[in-house]
Amino acid sequence: MREKNLLFCLVVFLCMAAAFVATLSYPPDARFFPIIVISLCGVVALWELVKTYRQKGEKSSETDKGYRRRFILTAAWTVGFVLAIGLLGFNIGLTLITFAYVKTHEKGWRWAVIMPIITFVMSYVGFEILLQTPLYEGLLFL
Amino acid sequence: MIDSVMIASIIKGVSALFQPMIMLTMFLAVIVGLIFGILPGVSGMTFMALMIPFTFGMDPFLAFVLLVSGYAVSSTGGSIASILINVPGDGPSAATLLDGFPMTQQGKAGRALGAMFTASGLGGVEGTVVLALLIPVVIPIVMAFGSPECFFLIVMGLSFIVSLGNEAKAKGAIAALLGLLVAFVGYHDATAFPRYTFGTAYLLDGIEIVPCALAIFAVPEAMSIMISGSAIVDQRTVRRSASADLWEGTKDVFRHWGLHIRCVVLGVIVGIVPGVGGHVASWVGYGHAKTTSKHPETFGHGNVEGIIGPESAMNGKEGGAMLPTLALGIPGSSGMAVLLGAFLIQGIQPGPTFLRDHLDLAWTITGTLVLANVLGMLICFLAAPTLIKVTRVRGHLLAPFLVSLMALGAYSSRNSLEDVFLTFGLAFLAWAMRQLGYSRPVFFVGYVLGGLAERYFGISVMAHGWKFFLTPISLIIIAVTIVSVSIEPVIKYRKRRKSS
């Protein structure tokens, strides 16, 4: 956790430094509030960075490693959802990725069929027809 | 003074509500409004915007019953999703999930919903009653609210950030400042200078509230469900009867009656001030509940006061927001701005002459707010036992549905695919914050109020110079802010002194 905290504070500090430089080029009225906020955030992030650096670290356990693996898988599925929408659009993309997700994680076909149908009904009937939202059709179908 | 004209208009306005066609319209509008509230990305405002075309040529009474009924209950629908699945149906509902969702995880979804339905329903009714009583008194006060007063009202909302974070103060400060920074993305209001847009046209209008709320609160929780694969409520949690739980939640509101009333009044006040809106009302309500609670340390872990506060303020606000719209022709919130459009479509000009020429319609609208809230509350109570079952659904079945709903919600707020990308991108920052103990509510409050604060500050300085804070109302708000921020440390200091 210590390393992650250090990394987060460092990233925030570097982002604030970059934002500070970028903000200096803005007109005085437009940079007034941001400069205050960025400066404060940079200082607090640096303080937190030093404080965390001085703390003792803990070794990562096997449970941590298992969790990390599950997180990477989940992050990959989440990115998969977004990619499916981008490529195939909401109606088809969400239906297919829901099918893939449920089939991978659940035994049998019952839920693997029911859940994509529910998703399709929600997106097509709920949003596209009833709410009249012109849903994105996907890069492949444009 | 109630004269015969007033009595006649009250009778005409209220009796219109009991015509079969109007009652049927109200019933249907309440159901649709609740559904709109539950779905992320669409809100009561969307409901009104979609319904306005149907009101062309409609009887004005029927038209406003349709619009106001659905709008009045949509925030209740938004809070249902906040409590049950941690997905805020709309921006203001985000305050409710802080304690609502932890209660659901503890198997107390019924109690959380019961408290929410009651606080929200009664808040809407009481807010409207307060509105009716305040009409003659408040108009001069509203007229006295300029940009400096609005700025300090928002500063008051921001000051509650201090009370929101339970974590290390430095981490809370970083979260708040990051939220403020996100609020600065897009055109600067006063100079129209684009900031932090990375050269893209998409970011020129800033980051929308719905994608941001979904990214900060909802997506990380859906990811958490995906990682664990288990239901929202642990299967080992003792199951209680939903109706008993709902009743317990209702009793909670009466146990904290003082808090409920205070938050309704706060909501009405915030609602009356044009341009401040529901986001401020719900966070001010939450902050007030926490600062005045006997157990502030339990907030964020499932304290029912954390539901009663924002819900009372949020729905109480609608009554208040109606006042400047009807009496002055100035919309008290974004939803009221849409309603203002509906008035113009009907050929009615809201403003000082409205209360003279259409007093009966004003009473119909007031009565609609009351009846729709009561009807919404009843429908919610009846539907709650079924809705609660969603918390027992296996994680691997619920997660893809939630992620799909979030993607659709993020997209439909302005039909932009970039909003979907932004939501899931920002969600990874929110995930990191969640894991490392950086308060996400603090980040969100900073984001919601930061842009407004900057806008009103700029206008105040331009209009009044650097002495803009020297107005009586501003000084009162500053004093209230200082007192409410310092009350907790002072009490702690006194306790420490007593114990030593």
Side-chain angles (χ1 to χ4, degrees), chain B residues 106-466:
Chain B
Q106 293 158 19
K108 297 177 190 166
R111 189 173 169 185
L113 285 177
M116 187 273 282
F117 296 153
T118 314
S120 171
L122 291 182
V125 174
E126 290 152 5
T128 313
V129 172
V130 174
L131 155 80
L133 295 174
L134 285 183
I135 282 177
V137 185
V138 152
I139 292 172
I141 303 173
V142 175
M143 294 301 280
F145 258 78
S147 46
E149 289 79 13
C150 288
F151 171 70
F152 286 112
L153 202 64
I154 290 159
V155 169
M156 189 166 91
L158 274 171
S159 74
F160 286 127
I161 279 181
V162 179
S163 69
L164 281 174
N166 284 326
E167 302 77 11
K169 293 294 174 203
K171 285 186 174 180
I174 291 173
L177 292 164
L178 285 176
L180 281 165
L181 206 56
V182 172
F184 298 144
V185 173
Y187 279 124
H188 177 235
D189 283 335
T191 58
F193 188 85
R195 299 180 298 186
Y196 315 114
T197 57
F198 304 101
T200 61
Y202 161 68
L203 287 172
L204 286 175
D205 286 334
I207 293 174
E208 279 285 300
I209 196 149
V210 171
C212 187
L214 290 170
I216 298 301
F217 296 112
V219 181
E221 296 308 325
M223 285 171 71
S224 173
I225 292 172
M226 283 165 111
I227 289 172
S228 70
S230 55
I232 291 171
V233 179
D234 194 326
Q235 295 300 322
R236 289 163 294 181
T237 312
V238 184
R239 286 177 193 229
R240 287 191 54 188
S241 143
S243 51
D245 254 7
L246 285 164
W247 177 234
E248 196 60 30
T250 303
K251 283 198 288 187
D252 278 328
V253 177
F254 293 99
R255 282 189 203 113
H256 300 97
W257 189 246
L259 169 70
H260 168 68
I261 294 292
R262 288 196 306 274
C263 288
V264 168
V265 174
L266 275 174
V268 172
I269 294 168
V270 171
I272 286 170
V273 181
V276 180
H279 305 296
V280 182
S282 58
W283 290 108
V284 165
Y286 188 85
H288 176 74
K290 188 171 180 184
T291 47
T292 56
S293 171
K294 286 176 186 164
H295 305 286
E297 72 284 353
T298 58
F299 274 67
H301 304 288
N303 187 328
V304 76
E305 292 170 74
I307 296 172
I308 297 168
E311 283 301 320
S312 308
M314 194 160 63
N315 243 21
K317 179 217 77 175
E318 293 311 332
M322 197 66 87
L323 181 70
T325 315
L326 298 182
L328 304 172
I330 303 166
S333 64
S334 45
M336 289 299 120
V338 180
L339 191 68
L340 198 67
F343 273 108
L344 300 176
I345 286 168
Q346 290 289 334
I348 298 169
Q349 179 67 52
T353 54
F354 174 78
L355 292 179
R356 190 190 63 211
D357 301 339
H358 303 281
L359 197 54
D360 48 351
L361 185 58
W363 284 109
T364 302
I365 291 171
T366 310
T368 304
L369 274 176
V370 172
L371 281 183
N373 274 298
V374 174
L375 191 61
M377 195 163 64
L378 290 175
I379 292 171
C380 286
F381 268 111
L382 290 173
T386 313
L387 292 171
I388 290 168
K389 285 179 186 157
V390 80
T391 62
R392 304 267 176 188
V393 175
R394 287 196 299 279
H396 286 316
L397 296 180
L398 189 62
F401 175 78
L402 289 180
V403 174
S404 304
L405 186 63
M406 286 162 202
L408 285 162
Y411 176 83
S412 58
S413 66
R414 56 178 174 181
N415 297 343
S416 158
L417 190 65
E418 284 93 339
D419 278 341
V420 180
F421 297 145
L422 180 87
T423 301
F424 286 92
L426 207 53
F428 283 97
L429 169 70
W431 175 264
M433 289 174 72
R434 182 185 191 268
Q435 295 305 99
L436 300 174
Y438 288 83
S439 171
R440 288 176 293 155
V442 165
F443 175 94
F444 194 68
V445 175
Y447 157 73
V448 168
L449 301 182
L452 280 174
E454 188 190 30
R455 186 176 309 151
Y456 283 119
F457 177 81
I459 299 170
S460 303
V461 173
M462 262 196 280
H464 306 276
W466 286 97

Side-chain angles (χ1 to χ4, degrees), chain A residues 26-38:
Chain A
Y26 294 171
D29 282 350
R31 73 177 177 220
F32 178 75
F33 260 94
I35 282 286
I36 295 171
V37 170
I38 289 167

Side-chain angles (χ1 to χ4, degrees), chain A residues 50-100:
Chain A
V50 174
K51 201 180 87 178
T52 314
Y53 182 74
R54 284 181 178 171
Q55 284 171 353
K56 277 187 178 176
E58 298 151 8
K59 280 187 179 174
S60 61
S61 62
E62 282 301 311
T63 336
D64 284 348
K65 282 171 190 164
Y67 186 84
R68 194 176 302 158
R69 196 181 64 84
R70 288 204 303 277
F71 170 73
I72 292 168
L73 268 176
T74 301
W77 273 109
T78 312
V79 173
F81 268 87
V82 179
L83 284 179
I85 294 166
L87 288 173
L88 302 165
F90 281 93
N91 291 327
I92 299 171
L94 283 178
T95 308
L96 287 182
I97 194 85
T98 303
F99 170 77

